[in-house]
Amino acid sequence: MTEPLLRADGLVKHFPVLRGVVFRRAVAEVHAVDGVSFEIAPGETFGVVGESGCGKTTVARLVMRLVDLDDGTLTSDGEDITRVRGEALRKLRLKMQIIFQDPFASLNPRMTVGDIVGEPLHIHNMWKDGGPRRVRELLDLVGLAAEHAERYPHEFSGGQRQRIGIARALALHPKLVVCDEPVSALDVSMRAQILNLLKHLQEEFGLTYLFISHDLSVVRQVCDRVAVMYLGQVVEVAERDALFDRALHPYTQALISAIPIPDPELERKRRRIVLQGDVPSPQDPPRACRFHTRCFKAQEICEQIEPELEQRCDDHPAACHFAEPRAPVVESPA
Amino acid sequence: MTDVTYFDPERDSARPVIAVEDLVAEFRTEAGIVRAVDGVSFDIAQKEVFAVVGESGCGKSTVALSVLGLLPQPAGRIAGGKVLFRGEDLVSASPARLRQVRGDRIAMIFQDPLSALNPTIRVGEQIAEVFRAHREIEPKVAWEQAVELLSIVGIPRALARAKDYPHQFSGGMRQRVMIAMAIALRPALLIADEPTTALDVTIQAQILEVLLDVRERFDMAILLITHDLGVVAGTADRVMVMYAGKKVEEAPALDLYRTPKHPYTWGLLGSTTRVDRPRTGSLPQIPGSPPSLLVPPPACRFAPRCPRVQPICRTDYPELRKVDVGQVAACHFAQDPGWGPAPEEVPA
């Protein structure tokens, strides 16, 4: 295998829960990310999927070095970036950029579109070198017109704002773009446009994506490989088709079976796994297998021994003592 | 999963629970008057799940609020049309009469249950309050009923949980509390405005099941407002698609997905990411963005984005026309034989 563009090894991030007014003290810890490892190869789209609170956005922010790791290492192109700061961190941003979920909150309302897209060039002293031309080029790339540069974010729809965010992320020719729920806030028709645009840009510039999403149907559309997270841990990693055809972990199987299908006939005759209860608090995750409180396969061992994420019965690793493939979404007629 | 019945002409020819006729709803804004709902009609039969689908700003939530007379004041108003609840017009009803109907005969649940619940009152108390507001009832009996409702909507240990406050519940459990409150007085119609949009997918499945279960149990009709064609497919008997304030198509659920007749409907279907069909390299997409309602396109509102647009679409407004039993579409060509999506528009 070629050298991975990014390697994450045993990432850990716990956030303190603070109490008290004058004397703030930590009374508990939220285990946001608890031992997550993965590798992303150049040019691939690696998906991280899971429900709210599973830690996927924290993974995105750790990778971008927007928050510091408690433990684990991050390597990019063979270089340890776990603790880089200051100038070295600024250099890192030339290689890694992020697209945020909320196109309303992530664009400064007082800046023109041209200033927003051009800001990375200013920061990295590249403006003098044909800045205005680069801005026009970027706007054109994402399907906006040159005259849009003079306008302000509020004059644009959600889909167009997300295009502005993408243009900004591409300004410095990054290799890796972290996409944190880039289409979740968008309407269906805008969503397809943005997904197609991301794909087109990837082909054009050989981009690598770390794609964070809660929506498995979106993940299936764009990702080459996928990690499924639950309560701060990766429970299964697989190539896209293997994941959707032969999911091994009961949580992945339940997630896939819960995705609504826009086909009334199919939707009403599917066998659905309906999970009981809610996701437990990440402040106090269940012992051993964290999924055992909601799992339909749980046995005694699941409360006692934590299942490692390893190869079990199929071609990809899953963290379950009873990993076993389940029929895909649509069973082919026997 | 609860058994779901499809469109049944015999049952549905009986008097509808609610009939909306030519509804026009407007908002005054700084930039001018926005006609958020423009001449929309539909009716919902007893026990029927009727879905209204569309994207942000299409007017679907305004339809829901208009039915209840809850348009934000003073900016919004119903500028025309009728909302007939079992034959009685609610648009012209007195505020007192509206208060009687609202919460009692017609109830509503919202996307965000946290902002719809009072954070300072125990949930059991909030449900009991519904009884006290509309019925003469002993406080103790009201409380008991509240506890029973909580268990009907699947809240474990209902007796103990009734004493908890909203913040002690998860998002999914709060939505169950909202449903319990809404069905307290056995309404004839439950309006659910994006009831699962804020929830995770595994929780969404649970809540939809609760909705279908209470519909069955209490013979309620449900007006389901959503942007999610997947959610609609699993729950609705009939579907209305809205675009830019207009009704563009209505059909029994099966027919809408199998033979969509409005290019916007099939555009939506085609651009939806799904897990049941082979992947295509790029998704079919609807170009452009929805129009501004301040200056909507003069004729067909979808014309600027329509892949099949013809000169007539830019000059004449297409009225709704019947294309099949129970199916209407607002497209000049909907009745043409063979009219429908090309294979690349909605890949099979």
Side-chain angles (χ1 to χ4, degrees):
Chain A
M1 184 174 164
T2 50
E3 178 74 9
L5 183 64
L6 185 88
R7 174 181 288 143
D9 199 10
L11 304 187
V12 174
K13 182 68 193 177
H14 294 180
F15 291 104
V17 180
L18 300 174
R19 282 283 156 72
V21 181
V22 182
F23 300 102
R24 307 279 287 168
R25 61 205 158 87
V27 291
E29 274 190 327
V30 173
H31 298 233
V33 173
D34 229 351
V36 165
S37 305
F38 55 86
E39 287 181 357
I40 308 179
E44 83 169 335
T45 301
F46 183 73
V48 175
V49 69
E51 297 180 286
S52 0
C54 74
K56 56 191 189 299
T57 288
T58 304
V59 166
R61 301 177 60 157
L62 287 173
V63 165
M64 281 306 293
R65 293 293 324 282
L66 293 171
V67 288
D68 283 329
L69 288 150
D70 289 340
D71 199 6
T73 54
L74 277 169
T75 322
S76 168
D77 273 340
E79 177 199 355
D80 187 343
I81 58 165
T82 317
R83 308 260 162 237
V84 294
R85 296 196 176 281
E87 185 56 25
L89 183 57
R90 221 159 61 99
K91 282 255 171 61
L92 188 65
R93 302 270 190 254
L94 289 167
K95 259 179 24 185
M96 287 162 52
Q97 285 287 324
I98 184 165
I99 301 165
F100 295 99
Q101 168 170 3
D102 186 347
F104 294 82
S106 57
L107 304 178
N108 187 335
R110 294 169 190 275
M111 287 168 73
T112 63
V113 168
D115 289 341
I116 290 171
V117 173
E119 196 180 21
L121 301 172
H122 282 290
I123 293 174
H124 292 270
N125 298 322
M126 292 156 77
W127 181 256
K128 288 192 298 284
D129 209 15
R133 199 190 60 231
R134 177 74 181 142
V135 168
R136 281 196 301 277
E137 190 179 289
L138 286 161
L139 291 178
D140 180 55
L141 264 180
V142 299
L144 294 172
E147 55 266 27
H148 287 148
E150 304 304 320
R151 300 214 205 145
Y152 289 88
H154 75 266
E155 300 173 61
F156 294 87
S157 69
Q160 285 175 312
R161 285 184 214 207
Q162 204 54 299
R163 290 176 193 268
I164 298 168
I166 293 172
R168 174 177 60 186
L170 294 185
L172 303 172
H173 302 283
K175 287 184 182 171
L176 177 73
V177 178
V178 176
C179 309
D180 186 7
E181 301 266 17
V183 297
S184 305
L186 305 180
D187 275 316
V188 180
S189 69
M190 294 297 125
R191 195 174 285 196
Q193 292 181 9
I194 295 298
L195 292 177
N196 287 344
L197 174 64
L198 286 172
K199 186 181 165 65
H200 167 77
L201 293 171
Q202 179 169 46
E203 284 163 3
E204 178 114 0
F205 301 109
L207 295 172
T208 305
Y209 290 136
L210 170 58
F211 195 94
I212 312 286
S213 179
H214 71 282
D215 187 334
L216 274 164
S217 68
V218 169
V219 161
R220 177 169 177 262
Q221 179 64 32
V222 298
C223 296
D224 302 309
R225 280 191 316 127
V226 186
V228 181
M229 283 187 74
Y230 186 76
L231 277 177
Q233 297 181 327
V234 173
V235 297
E236 183 163 3
V237 193
E239 302 273 331
R240 174 192 61 234
D241 291 340
L243 191 82
F244 285 93
D245 292 344
R246 305 183 302 280
L248 300 178
H249 197 285
Y251 177 62
T252 314
Q253 294 169 353
L255 266 188
I256 292 177
S257 98
I259 307 167
I261 294 178
D263 178 336
E265 266 176 292
L266 207 60
E267 184 67 7
R268 287 162 206 215
K269 69 178 187 217
R270 285 163 91 182
R271 285 181 305 131
R272 174 163 280 162
I273 304 169
V274 177
L275 289 181
Q276 299 307 307
D278 293 306
V279 181
S281 161
Q283 270 182 47
D284 183 21
R287 271 165 40 84
C289 174
R290 295 189 173 183
F291 185 57
H292 82 253
T293 54
R294 300 174 78 198
C295 185
F296 50 94
K297 280 185 168 177
Q299 305 278 331
E300 223 168 278
I301 183 178
C302 309
E303 298 168 41
Q304 289 156 356
I305 300 168
E306 180 169 343
E308 296 291 323
L309 178 65
E310 60 188 24
Q311 210 92 328
R312 286 166 197 270
C313 55
D314 203 339
D315 58 358
H316 65 268
C320 173
H321 296 297
F322 303 101
E324 184 184 30
R326 180 180 190 262
V329 184
V330 186
E331 290 161 61
S332 40
Chain B
M1 194 126 191
T2 327
D3 180 47
V4 179
T5 47
Y6 293 103
F7 184 69
D8 172 358
E10 206 175 280
R11 178 197 70 197
D12 297 330
S13 56
R15 188 164 73 166
V17 173
I18 196 115
V20 170
E21 291 177 3
D22 213 13
L23 180 71
V24 178
E26 293 179 341
F27 290 97
R28 261 199 330 251
T29 70
E30 277 177 31
I33 290 186
V34 166
R35 192 165 272 204
V37 176
D38 194 1
V40 167
S41 305
F42 63 92
D43 49 46
I44 309 177
Q46 179 94 12
K47 224 181 152 178
E48 183 178 42
V49 179
F50 185 82
V52 180
V53 204
E55 300 182 281
S56 326
C58 74
K60 57 190 192 300
S61 287
T62 307
V63 165
L65 294 174
S66 302
V67 168
L68 280 172
L70 284 178
L71 287 181
Q73 295 300 328
R77 69 179 190 116
I78 294 180
K82 289 178 178 167
V83 174
L84 299 170
F85 174 68
R86 298 214 189 278
E88 175 190 356
D89 186 15
L90 298 181
V91 173
S92 55
S94 70
R97 174 63 185 147
L98 258 184
R99 272 197 303 278
Q100 249 174 20
V101 173
R102 206 189 286 148
D104 187 328
R105 300 294 76 221
I106 305 177
M108 183 158 181
I109 58 175
F110 299 89
Q111 172 173 345
D112 178 9
L114 194 55
S115 57
L117 292 166
N118 186 329
T120 65
I121 302 178
R122 298 175 196 278
V123 301
E125 201 52 47
Q126 294 191 51
I127 300 172
E129 202 178 289
V130 178
F131 290 104
R132 290 207 305 275
H134 291 272
R135 304 272 191 277
E136 286 184 14
I137 187 169
E138 291 275 316
K140 185 164 168 288
V141 179
W143 178 265
E144 282 164 9
Q145 299 237 19
V147 171
E148 196 198 326
L149 282 162
L150 287 175
S151 80
I152 286 176
V153 296
I155 292 184
R157 302 182 296 109
L159 194 58
R161 299 295 325 251
K163 295 184 188 126
D164 285 343
Y165 291 91
H167 76 269
Q168 292 168 293
F169 290 81
S170 66
M173 285 294 156
R174 274 182 217 132
Q175 198 55 287
R176 288 177 197 257
V177 171
M178 283 297 298
I179 296 174
M181 196 181 297
I183 63 172
L185 300 171
R186 313 280 190 267
L189 176 68
L190 176 66
I191 302 177
D193 188 0
E194 301 272 9
T196 60
T197 306
L199 303 175
D200 277 319
V201 65
T202 59
I203 308 297
Q204 165 170 285
Q206 297 173 356
I207 295 298
L208 292 175
E209 216 155 277
V210 172
L211 278 176
L212 290 179
D213 174 65
V214 295
R215 181 278 285 264
E216 203 61 35
R217 205 187 272 246
F218 302 129
D219 284 352
M220 268 180 332
I222 296 181
L223 171 57
L224 176 71
I225 312 285
T226 179
H227 69 282
D228 188 329
L229 282 164
V231 167
V232 170
T235 49
D237 301 312
R238 281 193 303 141
V239 189
M240 168 167 96
V241 182
M242 285 185 71
Y243 184 77
K246 293 277 192 186
K247 167 175 173 174
V248 296
E249 185 158 8
E250 178 185 295
L254 274 181
D255 300 319
L256 189 90
Y257 289 82
R258 210 185 277 153
T259 54
K261 290 294 179 185
H262 197 287
Y264 177 64
T265 308
W266 77 62
L268 274 186
L269 277 169
S271 55
T272 302
T273 48
R274 52 199 300 167
V275 292
D276 61 318
R277 303 224 170 132
R279 271 178 81 255
T280 50
S282 65
L283 277 170
Q285 64 183 47
I286 305 175
S289 347
S292 156
L293 290 180
L294 281 165
V295 266
C300 174
R301 295 192 173 177
F302 188 59
R305 306 176 73 190
C306 184
R308 306 287 180 88
V309 65
Q310 297 294 320
I312 187 178
C313 308
R314 304 189 197 274
T315 54
D316 294 17
Y317 179 76
E319 293 299 331
L320 284 161
R321 55 207 75 204
K322 187 172 175 208
V323 290
D324 205 337
V325 183
Q327 183 168 16
V328 293
C331 172
H332 290 294
F333 310 102
Q335 287 166 324
D336 290 4
W339 183 250
E344 68 276 9
E345 288 175 310
V346 184

